[in-house]
Amino acid sequence: MNGAEQDAVTAQLFRYAQDLDQLMQQHKRLQQHHQMTLQSLGREVPGENLLPQLLARAASMHWTTDLEGEVLHCGPQNPSPWALCAAAQPGQNLLLLVPAPQQMRLRLLLAHFASAGSKACAVRLRLSLQVQAGSPAEQVFDALLMPLNQEGHHQVSWILQSGGTDCVDTAACLADLLRAVPAEQGAMAANPQGSICAVSPGYCRMTGYSAQELLGNNPRMLSSGRHDAGFYHGLWFELLDSGSWSGTLFNRRKDGQIFLQWQAIRMVEDLDGKVLCYLSATVDLSYTDPSVKRLETIAYTDPLTGLPNRRLLTDRLTLALGEAHRVGESLALLFIDLDRFKPINDELGHNVGDQVLQAVARRLREGLLPDDLLARLGGDEFVVVLYGQQRVQMAEAIAAQLLSVLKAPLHIQNCAMTLSASIGCARFPQDAEDMLSLLQCADAAMYGAKRFGIPFCYFDVGMDDAGRPNLELELWQAVERGEISLVYQPQVNSDATHTLRGVEALMRWNHPILGDVDPIQFIGMAERSGAIVPLGYWALYHACAQLRSWREQALPAFTLSLNISLRQLRHPDFFEQVQQALALNQLQAGQLEMELSETQAMLFVQSDTHHVRTLRQLGVRIAIDDYGISFSSLSRLNLLSISSFKLNQQCVQDLTNSADARAISNCMISIGKAMGIEVIAQGVETAAQAQLLKQQGCQVLQGFYTGAPLSAEALADMLKAG
Ligand code: C2E
Ligand code: CA
């Protein structure tokens, strides 16, 4: 490493250290805040001495001494040699019972406790003690020495167990002691690798797990998800740095319930500084203290709606993102903002406004699955977290579902109102990787929806980039500027008549600078941003009006096919608009065909199938576009009661040079025949392709061979010319 590289690494390490320091300070502040709140509720706060206090109650041999070894409190509850030992009574010095060589080491240890303070780690050692002062008879004990802070005075807790057992695993040796810990509190020991080795009965009761279920596992199994990685990082840093950690912590019981506990952890070392185990003592604050339960509820719940608040959302979201990252899952965030909520609040009063928000919360909750997280950020803003690829793929359908439940009329204090909302969606990992950015992206997408006047909008990278030429923004204005038009491609019957079966309307964008923009490019852009919804409506009205105009020119009747995207289908007004466009132009529904691509049909959720059925009931024809790309299940497509398949272009183009393509098209045409579904081949460019398709029984051909897309006028001229 050269000098410059070394400097860079040093600077980086310095930044890490600063981050860590900040983290620690933040953690301390939170801890203090939590303790103060507990105290303000009049509750006793268990302190850092919890572990020695707990073990002292469990041990049959226990003393408290000062840092010189003088006995302050003598605690053998059970008869033991010590109970009778005058040398171990208050005022005596325990060190005098220790043979000279060990006495020296003990004095050094107590001096270390004096300098390290009450938070230092515990030390486990084997002690040979002269049970009777002045008597040469020695007895071996396993001792655990822990510094204590008693109202500002440093003291030492001595816990003795009859020793001599050659127990390799210190935590396991402490099991007897832990078993005697009073049932209302919990104690647990973990080995240096972090596996639980011993638990007290109270710990099992508190967590809901049996000892067998806990032993051998990492305490992580109890994690509640309410603390981020920074919290645990801080905990371990303090534990390893000072030898102990104490504070409040949320854990999760076996039944899934989250509970607040006070936990005091000590690292246990031998005299040489080798880590032997981690001991922890726990008090279940929620269990013993209903006011803490209340506090917890207040801290994490929005009081108006009872939904999780911003704090709980950020906790859960951080955790969910961490998990998604680890297992390669995806996650979507829906940012929901009510439309025109301010006038409701201003004109009808806050009381009505509050009731509206409560009703919205209820409706949104009912429109989601129990695993979807719904939180209120404040005001009229709500957030939904959808976890897992399946839910993420359904994000738009879920948003449509929420919008439709919101739309139902609402009556509050004799006021009837209809609510609507704008929903922005950002997804992990494609839009953002961290919690804050994801929230920002979803927020930006929500603003996008409002700006564009559509109910739902995905986040798009170009969204806020006002500086650069923004095609996406221009696309929103393209209709108004008269830059969008439709061309119509003939679909010709393959029989000898070669009559016109119909035309497919295809959209064109003539940009003032770029000229004709590739439809694949701008349609994709419009799909992502939601602009496809207004563009699609324009196409629907425009094409229907065109069909009427052709009829008025006395051209023979034919079908009009329109490409429809899933976003249009899911729009709450879609069905009404279709009816209106037909009625306005006095068209029969059967003259209109809607093409939905097979890939989109595969993303159908129940409500989509319902929309398609409603269209079919109206009489509109449904075609599956680009059929054969995704090999979707036929039974599923059949549910849609479709009227046509459109063979995908690739298959048609490979027909003359690939036996596989011929087999596939043959198979699809046969399936179509068997199911009574018309088959249209698209992308037919040559006579050879047309011939083959005809032989296989394909009824309709579309492509440059039978006719390129034409303007409405050109098509009319062609038909008039016969
Ligand atoms: P699509 O629905 O598969 O439309 C057929 C595409 O194939 C059209 O491309 C058409 O111009 C082109 N084509 C027609 N005959 C031939 C041929 O013989 N050979 C070849 N190579 N291509 C042929 P276009 O117009 O670029 O449209 C691309 C896609 O954009 C369409 O694919 C459709 O998915 C979408 N699209 C176009 N207009 C609309 C619309 O109004 N709404 C929606 N939602 N999507 C549209
Ligand atoms: Ca099409």
Side-chain angles (χ1 to χ4, degrees):
M1 210 186 277
N2 63 31
E5 282 168 346
Q6 249 168 12
D7 286 350
V9 170
T10 313
Q12 188 58 37
L13 286 175
F14 184 68
R15 274 195 291 276
Y16 284 154
Q18 278 181 322
D19 288 351
L20 205 63
D21 191 44
Q22 256 178 16
L23 211 77
M24 296 294 298
Q25 284 175 12
Q26 199 181 5
H27 171 69
K28 284 238 162 61
R29 275 200 302 278
L30 275 174
Q31 286 289 327
Q32 280 163 2
H33 181 72
H34 217 127
Q35 289 190 20
M36 273 160 51
T37 324
L38 285 176
Q39 271 159 351
S40 70
L41 285 168
R43 311 312 311 178
E44 190 192 332
V45 183
E48 61 192 53
N49 294 336
L50 181 64
L51 184 70
Q53 282 164 355
L54 219 70
L55 295 185
R57 287 176 65 191
S60 56
M61 289 176 276
H62 162 249
W63 281 261
T64 308
T65 71
D66 66 12
L67 291 170
E68 307 296 324
E70 186 183 314
V71 177
L72 302 168
H73 177 251
C74 164
Q77 289 90 15
N78 302 321
S80 74
W82 292 91
L84 307 168
C85 175
Q89 298 303 314
Q92 304 295 322
N93 196 313
L94 271 192
L95 293 183
L96 297 180
L97 299 178
V98 181
Q102 242 192 351
Q103 215 179 82
M104 199 56 212
R105 294 203 79 178
L106 272 181
R107 283 192 196 284
L108 283 173
L109 176 63
L110 297 190
H112 165 71
F113 282 169
S115 63
S118 57
K119 298 191 100 196
C121 69
V123 173
R124 183 151 166 102
L125 68 159
R126 181 151 296 171
L127 276 181
S128 298
L129 294 182
Q130 294 158 335
V131 180
Q132 297 291 326
S135 146
E138 286 177 4
Q139 205 170 323
V140 179
F141 294 93
D142 284 316
L144 188 67
L145 270 66
M146 274 175 284
L148 281 175
N149 179 356
Q150 214 59 279
E151 287 156 8
H153 299 288
H154 287 335
Q155 298 176 356
V156 183
S157 170
W158 301 58
I159 286 155
L160 267 63
Q161 290 179 280
S162 300
T165 52
D166 274 326
C167 192
V168 189
D169 188 339
T170 311
C173 295
L174 290 166
D176 278 347
L177 188 61
L178 297 198
R179 262 193 289 276
V181 167
E184 66 276 14
Q185 283 138 343
M188 182 266 282
N191 65 19
Q193 291 73 44
S195 306
I196 300 175
C197 295
V199 286
S200 77
Y203 193 80
C204 294
R205 184 189 49 73
M206 218 176 270
T207 59
Y209 288 99
S210 68
Q212 286 92 323
E213 286 171 315
L214 290 164
L215 295 178
N217 274 308
N218 191 293
R220 220 180 288 132
M221 71 190 276
L222 302 169
S223 108
S224 65
R226 288 223 178 145
H227 305 284
D228 58 11
F231 174 85
Y232 292 107
H233 193 162
L235 184 157
W236 276 102
F237 183 83
E238 190 173 329
L239 181 59
L240 297 175
D241 188 47
S242 68
S244 69
W245 179 88
S246 56
T248 45
L249 183 72
F250 285 106
N251 264 341
R252 191 186 291 275
R253 298 188 220 276
K254 188 179 176 185
D255 65 7
Q257 194 195 0
I258 291 178
F259 68 111
L260 182 68
Q261 61 177 45
W262 176 270
Q263 185 150 357
I265 315 175
R266 292 243 181 190
M267 191 155 76
V268 180
E269 292 182 347
D270 66 10
L271 272 176
D272 299 322
K274 182 176 150 217
V275 179
L276 299 175
C277 69
Y278 300 95
L279 269 179
S280 75
T282 303
V283 179
D284 182 344
L285 295 174
S286 59
Y287 186 79
T288 54
D289 193 341
S291 56
V292 172
K293 186 90 204 126
R294 218 176 57 235
L295 173 76
E296 189 190 329
T297 313
I298 293 167
Y300 285 97
T301 312
D302 166 45
L304 181 66
T305 60
L307 291 178
N309 61 10
R310 183 186 284 269
R311 187 183 302 165
L312 185 53
L313 170 76
T314 49
D315 273 9
R316 294 262 178 95
L317 191 53
T318 310
L319 185 88
L321 280 171
E323 178 69 8
H325 211 279
R326 204 171 53 78
V327 300
E329 260 300 359
S330 33
L331 184 150
L333 210 73
L334 302 180
F335 200 108
I336 307 171
D337 186 281
L338 294 183
D339 298 331
R340 299 176 301 279
F341 178 68
K342 199 171 173 305
I344 296 181
N345 228 359
D346 291 350
E347 288 159 28
L348 303 176
H350 288 264
N351 192 14
V352 173
D354 283 356
Q355 289 184 53
V356 169
L357 291 174
Q358 285 166 341
V360 167
R362 253 191 328 271
R363 288 181 177 190
L364 292 177
R365 190 59 270 176
E366 280 163 15
L368 293 164
L369 293 183
D371 280 350
D372 303 328
L373 176 69
L374 170 68
R376 180 178 170 224
L377 278 193
D380 59 346
E381 290 176 343
F382 296 83
V383 165
V384 175
V385 181
L386 303 171
Y387 187 85
Q389 205 181 351
Q390 215 187 358
R391 293 299 279 165
V392 171
Q393 276 186 350
M394 288 169 64
E396 194 175 350
I398 294 166
Q401 160 82 10
L402 296 179
L403 289 165
S404 88
V405 293
L406 280 182
K407 212 176 153 189
L410 183 66
H411 298 274
I412 289 172
Q413 293 183 4
N414 297 328
C415 304
M417 54 192 103
T418 317
L419 301 176
S420 65
S422 308
I423 304 186
C425 177
R427 288 161 293 179
F428 167 88
Q430 64 258 57
D431 298 332
E433 299 226 331
D434 66 284
M435 194 254 311
L436 269 182
S437 316
L438 202 63
L439 268 168
Q440 276 165 2
C441 290
D443 190 30
M446 186 277 293
Y447 274 108
K450 282 218 190 284
R451 191 177 56 205
F452 302 140
I454 50 165
F456 177 84
C457 189
Y458 276 116
F459 174 74
D460 195 279
V461 268
M463 207 145 238
D464 285 333
D465 217 340
R468 280 184 290 150
N470 193 334
L471 267 191
E472 192 192 295
L473 265 184
E474 291 188 58
L475 184 54
W476 286 95
Q477 296 146 2
V479 171
E480 277 171 36
R481 292 191 195 152
E483 295 164 10
I484 300 289
S485 62
L486 288 178
V487 287
Y488 303 88
Q489 183 168 36
Q491 296 170 333
V492 177
N493 287 312
S494 67
D495 59 15
T497 65
H498 291 296
T499 44
L500 187 72
R501 177 264 183 196
V503 293
E504 177 180 2
L506 293 162
M507 201 177 281
R508 296 289 175 260
W509 180 17
N510 188 261
H511 187 273
I513 300 164
L514 303 172
D516 283 335
V517 184
D518 178 2
I520 301 282
Q521 194 197 346
F522 80 81
I523 296 283
M525 200 189 293
E527 296 257 11
R528 284 192 299 278
S529 72
I532 195 69
V533 174
L535 283 173
Y537 281 141
W538 177 86
L540 170 72
Y541 280 94
H542 194 83
C544 286
Q546 186 57 60
L547 197 56
R548 177 188 184 166
S549 153
W550 284 324
R551 190 185 56 204
E552 286 167 359
Q553 295 170 47
L555 295 180
F558 50 81
T559 313
L560 170 75
S561 298
L562 272 176
N563 291 288
I564 299 294
S565 87
L566 208 48
R567 304 196 71 164
Q568 284 174 269
L569 184 73
R570 287 173 178 171
H571 192 275
D573 299 338
F574 185 64
F575 185 67
E576 271 167 47
Q577 305 261 3
V578 173
Q579 279 180 309
Q580 204 176 53
L582 290 172
L584 262 177
N585 298 293
Q586 291 140 25
L587 300 178
Q588 300 292 323
Q591 285 178 273
L592 189 61
E593 182 168 69
M594 303 212 153
E595 295 189 7
L596 279 152
S597 78
E598 186 194 26
T599 12
Q600 296 201 322
M602 284 183 69
L603 297 175
F604 269 14
V605 292
Q606 211 177 359
S607 53
D608 300 325
T609 318
H610 172 75
H611 296 322
V612 171
R613 278 219 199 95
T614 321
L615 284 170
R616 280 299 282 146
Q617 277 157 11
L618 185 68
V620 173
R621 296 175 63 89
I622 301 290
I624 296 298
D625 207 353
D626 285 330
Y627 187 67
I629 290 204
S630 312
F631 294 101
S632 50
S633 131
L634 277 171
S635 58
R636 184 162 176 181
L637 290 183
N638 197 24
L639 283 177
L640 304 174
S641 43
I642 55 175
S643 13
S644 338
F645 288 162
K646 293 190 81 177
L647 277 188
N648 70 81
Q649 292 199 6
Q650 196 54 53
C651 179
V652 172
Q653 274 154 27
D654 291 344
L655 276 180
T656 44
N657 48 26
S658 154
D660 285 352
R662 283 193 294 280
I664 290 171
S665 73
N666 199 12
C667 173
M668 288 183 194
I669 293 166
S670 310
I671 291 171
K673 270 192 192 152
M675 291 171 68
I677 296 170
E678 184 188 38
V679 181
I680 305 171
Q682 59 181 335
V684 185
E685 292 180 345
T686 64
Q689 288 165 354
Q691 185 60 25
L692 253 167
L693 287 160
K694 207 172 142 184
Q695 276 168 7
Q696 289 184 337
C698 177
Q699 297 106 320
V700 184
L701 307 178
Q702 178 185 348
F704 297 156
Y705 175 70
T706 46
L710 298 167
S711 69
E713 298 73 33
L715 184 88
D717 291 347
M718 186 190 85
L719 289 176
K720 280 176 198 160

